[in-house]
Amino acid sequence: MLRSIMMLLSLLMLGACQATGPRADYDLSRDFSQYQTWSWADPPVTYAPANDPRLASDLTSQRVLEAVAGQLDVRGLRPAQQADAADLKVRASLVLETRRDNITTHYGGGWGYWGPYWGGPGYSQTRTVDYQVMTLQIDMLDASDGRLVWRGSDSQTVDARQTPLERTQEMHERAAQVLSTFPPN
């Protein structure tokens, strides 16, 4: 029982370490109030690694496109009637990487009546844990010159046991996190 509780606490701490918050970068010389419309860049969604079937699928692309489009709409950007008339070109990228962490669990060795050494034997166990991290990156390019004007990204550990509804909700939440700093002040 104690071992299960310690494992759960370790995994929760590991998850908390991964939540670093969204990161954004942008061109300081651009006036973001001039951008009113957008269209998808070609290709609209890219994947890294490119041919990984765990990541690249029509279902994932659809979730990303819906989530990003919804968040752009919330921020006052409207889809252009014609792709060549847009102010911004938008591209989303999903990057899947495997990370490794060492987790040490301590057992026994409690405090006794006469100090820390009288509570019984203690030992530690260290094990290596591999986990998947997915990063959503959104790029906005000026449609007139094709230059990158804004980039935002956010990473989160992957939960492989999610239902399709949970995956969709998570993608919407992640897109909202990434675009939370757009437009820059």
Side-chain angles (χ1 to χ4, degrees):
M1 177 70 176
L2 178 63
R3 188 175 190 172
S4 298
I5 292 172
M6 294 302 290
M7 183 64 157
L8 178 63
L9 288 174
S10 297
L11 289 175
L12 288 174
M13 289 175 56
L14 178 66
C17 292
Q18 299 307 313
T20 58
R23 295 166 298 283
D25 194 12
Y26 58 92
D27 186 346
L28 292 171
S29 66
R30 302 291 176 145
D31 176 16
F32 285 88
S33 64
Q34 73 176 350
Y35 300 123
Q36 303 296 319
T37 60
W38 66 276
S39 67
W40 292 111
D42 189 35
V45 180
T46 60
Y47 298 95
N51 296 326
D52 190 343
R54 296 172 298 169
L55 182 63
S57 74
D58 293 339
L59 296 172
T60 304
S61 293
Q62 179 183 349
R63 286 184 185 103
V64 171
L65 295 175
E66 287 175 359
V68 172
Q71 288 302 313
L72 291 174
D73 189 51
V74 167
R75 283 153 182 76
L77 292 172
R78 301 295 175 238
Q81 297 297 331
Q82 297 177 348
D84 57 347
D87 299 327
L88 288 169
K89 296 286 186 178
V90 179
R91 178 181 309 121
S93 300
L94 284 176
V95 179
L96 185 67
E97 61 185 326
T98 301
R99 293 188 185 167
R100 178 170 285 176
D101 200 3
N102 292 324
I103 297 176
T104 301
T105 307
H106 304 282
Y107 301 98
W111 289 79
Y113 181 74
W114 297 105
Y117 303 107
W118 297 100
Y123 64 96
S124 300
Q125 178 184 25
T126 301
R127 61 196 166 282
T128 302
V129 176
D130 291 335
Y131 57 98
Q132 300 289 321
V133 175
M134 183 185 298
T135 301
L136 173 63
Q137 176 178 299
I138 300 172
D139 292 337
M140 296 191 193
L141 303 103
D142 189 302
S144 62
D145 62 10
R147 298 192 58 151
L148 182 66
V149 295
W150 186 90
R151 170 177 281 170
S153 65
D154 190 28
S155 299
Q156 188 173 351
T157 56
V158 174
D159 182 4
R161 297 175 301 236
Q162 289 181 320
T163 66
L165 179 60
E166 290 171 334
R167 286 188 200 109
T168 301
Q169 290 172 341
E170 181 185 347
M171 192 58 68
H172 281 271
E173 291 169 7
R174 190 166 312 159
Q177 281 286 93
V178 172
L179 289 166
S180 65
T181 60
F182 184 85
N185 296 331

